Structures are given as C-alpha cells and as structure tokens.
Amino acid sequence: MTKKAAVINDLSSFGRCSLTAAIAVLSVMGHSPCPLPTAVLSAQSEFPVFCGEDLSEMIPRFQGAWLANHERFDGIATGYFAHSAQLGDALAFIRAFRSSTCTVLVDPVMGDNGKLYPAYDRDACGKMKRLAQAADVLTPNLTELCLLTDVPFAEIAACPEAEKLSRIERAARAAAAERAVIVTGIPLNGDIGNLTVSGGRARLTRSERIGESFSGTGDIFSSVVLGCLLRGDTVFEATETAADFVGMAIADTIKEPHDPLYGVNFEKFLNYLR
C-alpha cells in the first residue's frame, strides 16, 4: 500500500532542495508526498538575489482542510522554517495528525559551521527544541545538535577525532530519549561521518569528503531516511542508504563545472532508491 507523507518545507525554484527534493525522492520510493509549503521562493535563500512569498498562514489552513477531509498520514517531515511562528504551527500539526503508525521526522534546520542561519535567533531555537521533542527521528548536523543540547560547538569542533565522536555520541544520546538521532555531515580528518543513535545503539558511517558544501544535501538525506523508514528499513539501514545516495550525487556533480548553490545531480540516481 502506498504510504502518505506530509512534508512541511519551503518550495525553492532553484537549489534542488526542500520540497523539490522531497517530492522527487519520496515519489520514486513508492510513497505519496503531500507538500505543505511554508514559503515559495525564486531560489533558496543563499542565492545573492531571491524573492518569495511567506505562506505562514497556510499551515493551520491546510491542517483544518485535511482534518475536515479525514486525512491520515504514515509520515510527517519538517524542514526549513522562515519564521519562528511557523514552528508552533508545525508542532500543532504534528499533534493533530500523529498516530502510533505515523513516523515523524524533524530536520532541525537552524544553522551550520557553528553559526545560526539569519532567520533564527535564540527564541526560534527554543521553539525548535520543542518541535524536536515531538519527533520520532531527528536529523541535525553538528551545529544543530549542539544548539539542541546546549553543548558548545567550538569545544567539540576543536577535539581530536576520537574525543569528538565520543562527545557527539553523548550529546546525541541526550537528545535521543525515546527517539532516533542521526547526526549528519560530521567532519572527520578528510572524511564525512553520520552518527546514528537509536535504542541504546550507536553506529558511525563515514565516507571520503569530496567537493564543497552543496545546497539541498540535508533535505535529500532526510527525505531518503523517511522513505526508507516508511518501507520498513531500520534507521541504521536508512542512514547508510541516504549517505550512499548523497555521496553518488556529489561525486557526479563535481565532475563538471558547478555552482554549489544549485545543489547536486541527484535526479539521475533516483532509480537507486526504488
């Protein structure tokens, strides 16, 4: 049976990210993505020039219409929020639609490389912490894990690799409670690691770091994870599949002239996910 997933994220025309990535990934994996756009943008927000329309009011409106139609979801995923008020609406949406058979994935998009994104402040981080508590699966990068657990980013980033991984695992376990946490994009002596913590177990997957930071890889990663979970894979299997898929897309992208703002060539590898 086709699984339905509500995806709360922005729609960016350029950048191969957010809803553009999620719709393609979940669809090819045999699921039915049900997009709930938080904003419509001409390009993802790191482009030097972009325009857009704030759709904050649409979250409660979609929620009301879907409840009236007696819709139910097998999965819910959240990504980037342009305004902190949207975080409260997303939490209300999850509470309205979650069930024992619905997997909630929260990608706590707040910052990277130790810095908050411009749209975020400490108040927004507090709201994201509350949203994260409603998740079954969290996919933070290292910066976001530190923000969620009040661990100083600079201290962990400066540690030797073994100590860094140990401290990240402790922080991930603190964030996990009854949920799974996948810490993505960990820099490891020329490699990139993803640390998955779930059910008292921890597993590190690592691969060679190639290229630079690309738009949309986090959205692609989290979408693959949700797609895998909806088809019955374990969270550890889902992490490996997502890391392999993103790695293939990056490896192909760097073979040709490229601008990282436009994302990675993931489309040609979608059959890998079937």
Side-chain angles (χ1 to χ4, degrees):
M1 178 180 294
T2 300
K3 301 291 182 70
K4 293 188 295 183
V7 187
I8 308 173
N9 211 334
D10 71 89
L11 178 63
S12 294
S13 296
F14 285 92
R16 284 166 160 162
C17 60
S18 46
L19 285 178
T20 302
I23 291 169
V25 166
L26 291 171
S27 294
V28 81
M29 296 182 78
H31 308 306
S32 176
C34 307
L36 200 175
T38 58
V40 176
L41 304 173
S42 63
Q44 57 98 347
S45 59
E46 292 184 349
F47 272 71
V49 178
F50 68 94
C51 63
E53 188 71 25
D54 177 14
L55 299 180
S56 294
E57 66 177 30
M58 301 309 293
I59 300 177
R61 290 179 62 188
F62 272 46
Q63 176 180 322
W66 286 348
L67 285 172
N69 287 334
H70 307 290
E71 299 292 355
R72 294 293 181 266
F73 299 103
D74 303 286
I76 300 172
T78 72
Y80 178 74
F81 295 97
H83 302 288
S84 61
Q86 294 178 341
L87 290 157
D89 289 336
L91 181 57
F93 181 95
I94 290 170
R95 288 171 174 167
F97 286 101
R98 83 172 315 146
S99 68
S100 60
T101 58
C102 179
T103 300
V104 177
L105 184 150
V106 171
D107 186 5
V109 182
M110 292 184 284
D112 203 359
N113 298 315
K115 297 181 180 179
L116 283 171
Y117 292 137
Y120 276 79
D121 55 20
R122 290 298 169 180
D123 176 66
C125 289
K127 292 180 179 179
M128 182 63 82
K129 286 182 180 181
R130 291 191 286 276
L131 182 65
Q133 291 170 358
D136 299 304
V137 183
L138 284 172
T139 58
N141 60 31
L142 180 55
T143 298
E144 291 153 356
L145 176 70
C146 290
L147 290 168
L148 289 173
T149 57
D150 298 316
V151 174
F153 173 86
E155 290 183 14
I156 290 185
C159 289
E161 182 176 297
E163 183 182 352
K164 177 190 291 186
L165 286 171
S166 177
R167 293 190 63 173
I168 292 172
E169 181 177 339
R170 290 200 300 272
R173 290 188 185 280
E178 299 300 319
R179 63 186 66 87
V181 175
I182 307 169
V183 187
T184 63
I186 305 169
L188 297 172
N189 298 336
D191 291 342
I192 286 291
N194 299 292
L195 181 67
T196 306
V197 174
S198 178
R201 299 168 56 201
R203 182 184 299 174
L204 175 71
T205 60
R206 64 190 298 165
S207 55
E208 181 183 1
R209 182 185 181 94
I210 52 176
E212 57 266 76
S213 177
F214 289 89
S215 166
T217 51
D219 296 315
I220 296 168
F221 186 97
S222 62
S223 297
V224 174
V225 168
L226 180 61
C228 288
L229 295 175
L230 291 179
R231 70 185 184 191
D233 294 355
T234 69
V235 69
F236 299 103
E237 294 169 335
T239 300
E240 291 183 4
T241 300
D244 288 346
F245 182 72
V246 171
M248 287 189 294
I250 293 174
D252 183 79
T253 303
I254 64 173
K255 293 177 183 177
E256 57 190 32
H258 61 273
D259 182 336
L261 290 178
Y262 287 88
V264 294
N265 303 337
F266 74 92
E267 297 90 347
K268 64 175 67 177
F269 299 104
L270 285 169
N271 281 336
Y272 171 79
L273 300 173
R274 292 186 184 274

